[in-house]
Amino acid sequence: MSSHLKRLVLEMSVGMFAYVLFLGVLALIFRNSLAGAGFLLNPVLVGLFLGFLADAAMLAHMAVVTERAAESRDESYANKTTMIQSAIRRVVFIVVLVILGSRPQIDAVAMIIGALGLKAGALLQPIVHRTFFREDGQRPEEGTIEERRTVYGNDENSDGGSRA
């Protein structure tokens, strides 16, 4: 995996962990309400954490598959590979969910909610990047614009704005 992709995976993982941590704190605050609804606190926290671990594994797998597909430079191979690997990822998650969710120490619903952290990690990644991974002396938007120009070319529309 390239260093850029590793950094992106790390940034998304920080956002995913923040999501699960936030949900864990909410579970602690509302533990009496959870108990009233039939959810015990410890299985809920374990389920959230296992959902985070599942997200981290899926994110790493997606990064490897995406990089391999992009390096192939073959559109049909890339499309077929990403579709097959996506289906495999879903099936593996469902199998793990059924196996672990059938145990009384793990709440399957919390595991599913914890696994939704992949979307939260994607949404929080720009904030995490600007907050923690910005290079010294660089304005927050400079890194993104420079990265777009490097990746997509240095044309007038590469940073989303028009220069008239």
Side-chain angles (χ1 to χ4, degrees):
M1 214 177 341
S2 69
S3 62
H4 173 72
L5 195 55
K6 285 180 185 177
R7 190 181 78 215
L8 182 64
V9 167
L10 176 65
E11 291 170 358
M12 284 184 65
S13 296
V14 169
M16 292 174 349
F17 185 74
Y19 167 79
V20 169
L21 186 65
F22 175 73
L23 290 178
V25 168
L26 285 179
L28 285 170
I29 292 171
F30 296 109
R31 80 180 85 166
N32 293 333
S33 299
L34 283 173
F39 295 100
L40 299 175
L41 181 63
N42 287 339
V44 167
L45 294 177
V46 171
L48 288 173
F49 182 70
L50 289 175
F52 166 73
L53 291 180
D55 272 350
M58 288 189 285
L59 179 61
H61 183 255
M62 281 189 273
V64 169
V65 168
T66 302
E67 190 169 58
R68 186 174 25 157
E71 287 174 354
S72 74
R73 299 192 184 272
D74 180 9
E75 184 179 347
S76 65
Y77 170 78
N79 189 29
K80 184 172 69 172
T81 300
T82 55
M83 295 287 283
I84 290 170
Q85 295 298 322
S86 174
I88 290 171
R89 221 175 11 256
R90 290 177 186 169
V91 168
V92 168
F93 178 74
I94 291 170
V95 167
V96 169
L97 178 66
V98 168
I99 291 170
L100 294 178
S102 64
R103 307 205 182 272
Q105 301 89 356
I106 301 167
D107 187 59
V109 174
M111 190 171 166
I112 292 170
I113 292 171
L116 294 175
L118 195 55
K119 297 196 184 316
L123 292 172
L124 292 173
Q125 184 273 331
I127 296 167
V128 171
H129 177 75
R130 283 191 300 265
T131 305
F132 298 112
F133 296 96
R134 177 175 42 150
E135 295 175 17
D136 293 334
Q138 184 181 40
R139 289 191 346 233
E141 64 275 356
E142 281 180 359
T144 306
I145 292 171
E146 193 58 39
E147 182 177 316
R148 286 181 189 159
R149 287 183 179 150
T150 302
V151 174
Y152 300 111
N154 195 10
D155 63 357
E156 64 185 29
N157 295 322
S158 65
D159 60 356
S162 62
R163 298 168 205 232

